[in-house]
Amino acid sequence: FFLKGQNPTNRQIGFHLGTDLGIHGVNASYWLTNRYIVKNTLKIEPKEWRVPVLDDFSRTTLRKPHAWASDYTLQGALILSLIQTDQYKNLKTTRNFANLWVQNMLFTANLTQTAKIVFQRKRPYTRDPNFVSDGANDHFYSFFSGHSSITAAAAATSMWMAYRYPSSQTSKITAWASTGLALTTGALRITAGKHYPSDVLMGWAIGTGVSILNGWIHEKL
């Protein structure tokens, strides 16, 4: 899939100062809008819904060690993806990869936050009979999984660069390692009771989709 099309040696990832500054501006405005909504206009109307069969595999108790582990695997996926920027001898490719990476992370994070605000889905652990709410918005931010979407975006960006552009074997290894950590992160979010399987699957799909779409856009610049 990543190799479909022209030979990687002839492919270039584009960068256009005006267009890319505009994209970063949109991301910044989007982020500020999300923050404004959460701080000033958000009205919690928690919803509890499940996808039949699929979400029956979720846990309804909170496992904090699993949640902490998912934080570490998320950080690992991001670090491995960033390390890949040093695998390209061409400074221009390195710069453009870093620019694409930042955009993909921000777009994915913004879309995730908007979805959480719109859907306000209760997390699985809130179904625990012993659960006592402390009024935190986070209890209602289940759909979709931010950990899953962000790690998927990082992994997809790495795979995109490793297989569509001339790169070393090390670059491909870090891309696959980042992908493995992205999958592990999603699984941990489910076993932690933080997310339903449908939250994780949607997060993976959004993160991957954003990265691929933005990659195609930059190949046209």
Side-chain angles (χ1 to χ4, degrees), residues 83-211:
I83 286 175
Q84 192 173 327
T85 59
D86 289 331
Q87 305 302 315
Y88 300 96
K89 295 181 180 180
N90 187 321
L91 183 61
K92 180 180 177 181
T93 302
T94 297
R95 178 202 67 185
N96 293 354
F97 174 31
N99 175 66
L100 182 69
W101 190 92
V102 170
Q103 289 183 11
N104 290 347
M105 297 305 106
L106 291 177
F107 265 131
T108 301
N110 281 329
L111 286 172
T112 301
Q113 184 66 14
T114 296
K116 290 178 182 293
I117 292 170
V118 170
F119 291 100
Q120 296 183 15
R121 186 188 196 186
K122 287 185 178 181
R123 293 189 185 273
Y125 67 76
T126 63
R127 297 170 55 209
D128 186 341
N130 298 317
F131 170 72
V132 178
S133 175
D134 59 5
N137 290 349
D138 188 64
H139 299 322
F140 313 109
Y141 282 172
S142 188
F143 188 82
F144 42 87
S145 168
H147 279 63
S148 301
S149 63
I150 290 295
T151 53
T157 304
S158 291
M159 294 289 279
W160 181 270
M161 292 299 300
Y163 283 93
R164 290 182 71 86
Y165 298 91
S167 61
S168 65
Q169 187 62 31
T170 302
S171 178
K172 294 179 175 61
I173 291 173
T174 56
W176 278 105
S178 181
T179 300
L181 285 176
L183 296 174
T184 302
T185 299
L188 285 170
R189 298 304 282 176
I190 295 172
T191 60
K194 283 279 193 174
H195 288 288
Y196 292 97
S198 57
D199 299 330
V200 170
L201 291 174
M202 181 58 72
W204 283 338
I206 294 296
T208 302
V210 165
S211 299

